[in-house]
Amino acid sequence: MPDRPRLTRVLESPLVRLCIVQGPTGAGKTTLARTWALRSEHSARVVWVTVPAGVTDGRMLWRRVIAAAARVGLLTDDAVARARSFVRSGTDPIEASRRLVMLDRPAVLVLDAYERLGEMSGQIDRDLIRLLTMHPMLRVIVATRGETALSAAAFDDGITRVISRSELALTVGEAATLLREQTGIADERVARQIVAATGGFALAVHAAVHAVSEVGHIPHLDSSEWNDVVAERIDSSLGDPELVAFMTDTAVVPFLDVALAGRLSGNPDAESLLATLEREGLGRWTPYASGGRVFQYVETVRDAFRARARRNADRYRRTCVEAAHAMLAGGTALETALETALEMAIEGGDWTLADRVVAHLAAASTENHPNDTLLPVLQRVPAEVLPRHPMLAFGLALALSANPLRWREAAGVFEAVLDAPSYPTYFAPELDDPTRMSVRAMILRLRGDGSASAELSARAVEAVDRIDPAVASRFGEHLAGMLRQLSLSLWQGGRSSEALSVVARAAAACSNPASRNSSTVIAAAMTASGGDTVRARTLLATLDRTAWPFDTRRVASQGMTSLTETWISLDALDFRGAARQLKLTPIVPQSEGWPLVTATGLAVWHGKGFAAAEAERVRAELARGDQPGVGENVATQQLHAALGLAWLAAGDHRSAAEALESQPSDSLYLSYARAMWLLAERRDAAAREWVEVELARSGHTIRSRAELQTAGAIAALRVGDEDRAWVWLGAAALASDHYGARMHVALLPPRDRLALGEFAARRNASVLQRYLKTPGRARAAARPAAVELTEREKVVLAAVDRHGSTRDVAAALFVSPSTVKAQLQSIHRKLGVTSRRAACEVARELGILGPKAPTHAP
């Protein structure tokens, strides 16, 4: 074994009072400890004890410790005799050591094969902790196959360190050293191949290197060859044919409980056999999602015995299918093991069973958008199988659609699902029609066909309503997931009020906290996007954050939460905070989320003053024509509205028109952007008429109506209709007060926002003034295209900013007051304002004027 300094440093460290080297047979734990002990400069102070088999009481072990201590000179002959006498008489061996041993130099006690202590391990654990506490110069190293409570031991003068089986795996560098020392071959590529084939498992690495040494050249590195080596070594180590047969049958699955172990092996003594395997360090019991426990083999061990099971192909397939059936049926520890059930069904070639498992997986999913987790498994299904098994095809298409590189490939598989002549009964006959319609509605939505998806979703909701209440109660979580997807389809089809009603039903039907979270965040996203950020905050406050996995950024539902919080920040005119939140939103390379997240990002960057750059980037991405989720749907319309507004802010009216004209003329989500385009083109009367007509239509959200009313107020003021401006602006201000929608105020062209502000001041309306008030940073963010003032006009404007009155400006510039008035009229026209104060504010936002000069008291 080569030197392994990354591990021997741990064994050598005086800070490590207790070191547990833990791994199965063949992991290299004893070799590591032996190599260190023999090469250590303190080898004369290392007491090595291998725990014998069949230990019945602690005295047997301590007698061996006494003998080993004597061999290295830690005990005199007299002390050895007295120690043996103490042990025979039943004296506490740890207390006896206080009288017999005075450690004035560091010493190390190594206990190998610690798992052989069995039921005695608890007592010896306690003895060792007392021994370490009593002798500060002593350290202990324990090599064991199984778990030990010692790993949690705590000391005041040092630490406990566990070297796990993953750390024991040889690295490429260590394998390269071993290869060079044993064969003379210095080739890191070969070492890399060996580690890849063996997983770095010490026993298998040594076997591979030995094979290279025997044949004198590099053989074909097939992991199955080394799996055989590992299995045979463990087989001979155990010496128990019944246990080996049990392992061969049960290592097929990645985890199992006692019931499944008995079912797969046919052995009624499964519980005690699993206990033996744990004691041997070949696997362990771990907590499971259902609150129970499952047994998991060490991965290298499982690979070795699964390879052995595959030798009997028919039996192996039957075992896989049996495991899949058991997992689908559920159990105390396996009720959420559907992904494993799918893998087992596909491994066993039972496509009908795999089709059923995918249906149950879709029903059990707490996520809102597809992911590609199961793509490697589902890709193993033969293409000719898919047309006969629609849910299996649906699962594959969903996984493909979640991968941005395979979005186009998903379309063909979706077609196979839509063309399926019939669906089997996956749950209950009453659920057949709603299931079929929900699947088709989701496919239409993912293809970007929002209207057709929403229409089919509305019919599916009606079908759900016809289900017998008793059946609906039995399949509550399934129906909740179905309603959640139907709500998303209704939303993207522009039927937002129906969508909110349906997702509220989904949340009410959920008993699983993670599922309820997913329904709630959809409701929050719909609500915030629609302009009711007050309610969105309330919904987010009800989430159970502990119900999500630790790495919540990878959960699509948590991404929807971040998206909702981005909108909340936007309506608070906190563009910096919105940008931070947007970073937490996993852009669902996950397919259909792209237009929605991109539209929100456009608003964020527009608010931060980078409208032109972001608009150019988004235009380029849209031009590629391969962005997922883009189609005839609300998200795409919102994206084009945001793109049009960004181009207007950049002064590019033609690009804004192109972005808007490519979308449906009757979309309420584009009404505001179209009104702002008319205003930018100075078609004020047309803009006012447009707003009048659009506001009369039904289906507006709080946000779309408030935006349109604000644009209408600008148009009305421009044409001199102050009464209409008062009505519209007042309605938008009240909506902002009650619901929070006001992001659009900060994105208004400064000249328009200031014109509205002057109007509110003239009317002395505090509600309007509060609505229009924006932080300085937000005001500066919404710059229009540059305004061209002549150099003389800039001088006049700066003098106005400094002196105020026409007479003072004229005196300062040595011109007549009438000349100043004429130049001011030109400045007002170019800046789109009607007062000197407004002219100075707009010019300051545009960078024409510097900061306001401080005034000094005379």
Side-chain angles (χ1 to χ4, degrees):
M1 175 71 80
D3 286 332
R4 308 184 72 185
R6 65 186 176 91
L7 299 180
T8 54
R9 278 196 297 267
V10 177
L11 300 182
E12 190 70 34
S13 173
L15 294 176
V16 179
R17 297 293 313 285
L18 174 60
C19 183
I20 296 102
V21 186
Q22 184 179 339
T25 297
K29 54 189 180 301
T30 300
T31 304
L32 171 68
R34 280 281 185 199
T35 303
W36 168 78
L38 291 172
R39 297 178 183 177
S40 170
E41 63 183 35
H42 304 300
S43 58
R45 306 285 289 178
V46 174
V47 179
W48 185 288
V49 176
T50 300
V51 177
V55 177
T56 56
D57 63 61
R59 287 179 296 182
M60 292 179 63
L61 175 66
W62 292 115
R63 279 198 294 269
R64 287 179 172 261
V65 172
I66 291 166
R71 282 196 298 273
V72 296
L74 286 178
L75 290 175
T76 63
D77 291 341
D78 179 58
V80 169
R82 292 172 61 200
R84 288 173 175 165
S85 172
F86 282 141
V87 170
R88 282 195 299 272
S89 66
T91 303
D92 178 1
I94 308 306
E95 185 59 35
S97 74
R98 185 197 299 274
R99 307 181 208 174
L100 298 173
V101 181
M102 293 296 293
L103 286 178
D104 55 356
R105 288 181 296 162
V108 182
L109 170 61
V110 180
L111 293 176
D112 190 23
Y114 196 76
E115 72 282 348
R116 292 177 181 172
L117 289 171
E119 295 179 358
M120 286 296 304
S121 60
Q123 179 58 54
I124 303 303
D125 289 348
R126 291 188 290 273
D127 287 349
L128 288 175
I129 293 170
R130 290 168 57 214
L131 193 65
L132 285 163
T133 303
M134 187 177 295
H135 298 288
M137 302 294 282
L138 177 67
R139 297 191 303 114
V140 172
I141 296 172
V142 167
T144 180
R145 297 180 187 174
E147 301 280 349
T148 170
L150 284 174
S151 58
F155 303 97
D156 293 334
D157 55 349
I159 63 171
T160 298
R161 174 72 155 80
V162 178
I163 297 178
S164 64
R165 56 176 177 265
S166 61
E167 289 180 279
L168 286 168
L170 270 73
T171 64
V172 172
E174 290 165 346
T177 300
L178 183 65
L179 183 68
R180 185 176 61 253
E181 291 176 352
Q182 298 293 322
T183 68
I185 297 174
D187 191 334
E188 188 173 297
R189 290 173 301 173
V190 178
R192 195 175 300 280
Q193 288 179 287
I194 290 174
V195 171
T198 62
F201 194 68
L203 173 64
V205 170
H206 276 275
V209 171
H210 178 71
V212 173
S213 175
E214 285 288 308
V215 299
H217 61 85
I218 303 168
H220 175 65
L221 292 173
D222 183 352
S223 60
S224 64
E225 180 180 349
W226 319 121
N227 283 333
D228 288 344
V229 171
V230 174
E232 287 168 9
R233 173 64 182 271
I234 294 173
D235 189 341
S236 61
S237 170
L238 293 173
D240 185 342
E242 180 187 25
L243 190 57
V244 169
F246 177 82
M247 292 176 68
T248 305
D249 289 332
T250 56
V252 169
V253 293
F255 53 81
L256 68 166
D257 61 4
V258 173
L260 182 56
R263 186 168 174 173
L264 297 181
S265 66
N267 194 314
D269 201 22
E271 186 168 7
S272 67
L273 291 173
L274 290 172
T276 300
L277 292 174
E278 181 181 33
R279 190 166 55 250
E280 291 292 325
L282 301 174
R284 61 175 183 165
W285 289 96
T286 60
Y288 199 66
S290 64
R293 294 193 314 155
V294 293
F295 185 84
Q296 289 182 288
Y297 282 100
V298 172
E299 196 62 31
T300 307
V301 175
R302 180 180 174 239
D303 288 344
F305 280 85
R306 184 171 51 175
R308 176 176 284 189
R310 281 199 178 103
R311 293 176 187 172
N312 186 334
D314 289 340
R315 180 178 174 82
Y316 176 73
R317 283 194 295 271
R318 287 197 302 272
T319 302
C320 288
V321 170
E322 180 74 15
H325 274 294
M327 291 178 171
L328 181 60
T332 55
L334 303 174
E335 62 194 18
T336 58
L338 293 173
E339 290 184 8
T340 303
L342 176 63
E343 183 180 353
M344 292 293 98
I346 290 175
E347 186 81 353
D350 191 329
W351 312 122
T352 300
L353 176 59
D355 191 48
R356 284 185 59 215
V357 174
V358 171
H360 282 264
L361 263 171
S365 174
T366 62
E367 277 305 299
N368 299 325
H369 299 292
N371 66 65
D372 59 356
T373 305
L374 295 175
L375 186 56
V377 175
L378 289 164
Q379 283 184 130
R380 289 157 48 195
V381 179
E384 63 272 14
V385 166
L386 297 175
R388 301 191 302 275
H389 300 92
M391 287 304 291
L392 198 51
F394 180 58
L396 175 60
L398 285 181
L400 288 169
S401 73
N403 187 316
L405 300 178
R406 308 191 67 174
W407 172 257
R408 291 184 177 276
E409 193 178 337
V413 186
F414 276 138
E415 286 299 328
V417 183
L418 291 172
D419 294 340
S422 63
Y423 286 59
T425 294
Y426 295 108
F427 305 99
E430 296 92 332
L431 271 62
D432 288 351
D433 281 347
T435 298
R436 176 178 52 81
M437 286 191 283
S438 296
V439 166
R440 294 190 173 198
M442 188 173 180
I443 291 173
L444 290 170
R445 187 183 86 231
L446 291 173
R447 283 173 31 174
D449 193 346
S451 295
S453 175
E455 181 62 36
L456 188 55
S457 294
R459 288 166 43 206
V461 172
E462 292 172 358
V464 170
D465 291 338
R466 292 192 293 270
I467 297 173
D468 181 86
V471 176
S473 176
R474 238 171 65 228
F475 294 98
E477 282 293 343
H478 175 199
L479 290 176
M482 185 185 296
L483 289 171
R484 191 160 54 239
Q485 289 299 324
L486 294 173
S487 73
L488 285 168
S489 297
L490 289 165
W491 185 28
Q492 289 306 304
R495 300 165 74 157
S496 57
S497 59
E498 292 174 66
L500 276 168
S501 174
V502 171
V503 78
R505 288 177 55 187
C510 295
S511 56
N512 180 334
S515 180
R516 191 182 305 111
N517 278 354
S518 293
S519 299
T520 302
V521 297
I522 289 178
M526 291 178 184
T527 303
S529 173
D532 190 351
T533 52
V534 173
R535 186 183 174 206
R537 286 178 188 273
T538 302
L539 288 168
L540 292 184
T542 68
L543 294 176
D544 180 358
R545 306 275 176 161
T546 64
W548 274 325
F550 180 73
D551 186 7
T552 54
R553 286 187 64 180
R554 297 180 62 86
V555 181
S557 296
Q558 176 63 9
M560 290 284 278
T561 306
S562 298
L563 196 60
T564 303
E565 289 173 336
T566 303
W567 280 317
I568 290 171
S569 295
L570 285 171
D571 275 331
L573 309 188
D574 177 10
F575 293 100
R576 181 177 293 178
R580 283 196 302 269
Q581 286 296 336
L582 194 65
K583 287 180 181 178
L584 300 177
T585 305
I587 288 209
V588 219
Q590 269 113 308
S591 61
E592 60 173 332
W594 185 83
L596 189 63
V597 174
T598 305
T600 309
L602 261 169
V604 171
W605 293 112
H606 184 169
K608 286 172 68 68
F610 302 102
E614 184 65 4
E616 190 61 59
R617 186 190 69 80
V618 173
R619 177 163 62 183
E621 292 200 19
L622 285 169
R624 292 210 313 263
D626 60 353
Q627 293 301 337
V630 174
E632 188 269 300
N633 55 40
V634 163
T636 302
Q637 291 161 22
Q638 290 175 318
L639 172 56
H640 280 262
L643 189 57
L645 292 170
W647 281 127
L648 288 177
D652 188 342
H653 294 193
R654 174 179 289 184
S655 292
E658 291 173 354
L660 301 176
E661 286 169 0
S662 66
Q663 295 302 297
S665 60
D666 61 348
S667 169
L668 294 174
Y669 296 92
L670 289 142
S671 296
Y672 170 66
R674 286 178 168 138
M676 295 304 294
W677 182 83
L678 289 169
L679 288 170
E681 289 285 295
R682 310 302 295 182
R683 295 169 59 183
D684 303 334
R688 184 198 178 287
E689 184 179 348
W690 170 263
V691 170
E692 188 96 51
V693 171
E694 290 296 288
L695 284 175
R697 296 172 57 199
S698 60
H700 276 290
T701 64
I702 294 167
R703 187 181 302 283
S704 68
R705 184 173 292 279
E707 289 174 335
L708 204 51
Q709 287 165 336
T710 304
I714 296 169
L717 282 179
R718 287 189 186 180
V719 299
D721 187 354
E722 289 200 356
D723 289 342
R724 177 54 62 184
W726 172 258
V727 171
W728 279 340
L729 192 60
L734 287 173
S736 174
D737 253 16
H738 283 86
Y739 305 107
R742 64 191 296 261
M743 168 184 72
H744 51 280
V745 174
L747 303 185
L748 287 173
R751 65 189 72 178
D752 292 326
R753 188 174 60 250
L754 286 165
L756 292 175
E758 289 181 335
F759 172 64
R762 287 199 307 272
R763 293 293 182 107
N764 196 26
S766 59
V767 172
L768 300 189
Q769 290 173 321
R770 187 165 59 247
Y771 173 56
L772 296 168
K773 184 178 180 181
T774 58
R777 188 179 298 275
R779 288 201 302 272
R783 294 182 179 178
V787 174
E788 295 295 332
L789 296 184
T790 66
E791 288 303 315
R792 186 60 183 173
E793 286 170 342
K794 291 177 183 178
V795 170
V796 169
L797 189 59
V800 168
D801 188 41
R802 183 174 183 82
H803 299 290
S805 73
T806 302
R807 185 176 300 277
D808 290 343
V809 171
L813 298 179
F814 302 102
V815 296
S816 68
S818 60
T819 300
V820 172
K821 286 179 181 178
Q823 289 171 328
L824 277 174
Q825 286 177 353
S826 175
I827 292 169
H828 288 175
R829 178 175 49 78
K830 289 182 177 181
L831 293 177
V833 297
T834 58
S835 72
R836 297 173 193 181
R837 182 182 64 81
C840 291
E841 288 193 28
V842 170
R844 190 165 285 110
E845 288 191 18
L846 296 175
I848 297 170
L849 281 179
K852 179 72 173 177
T855 57
H856 301 284

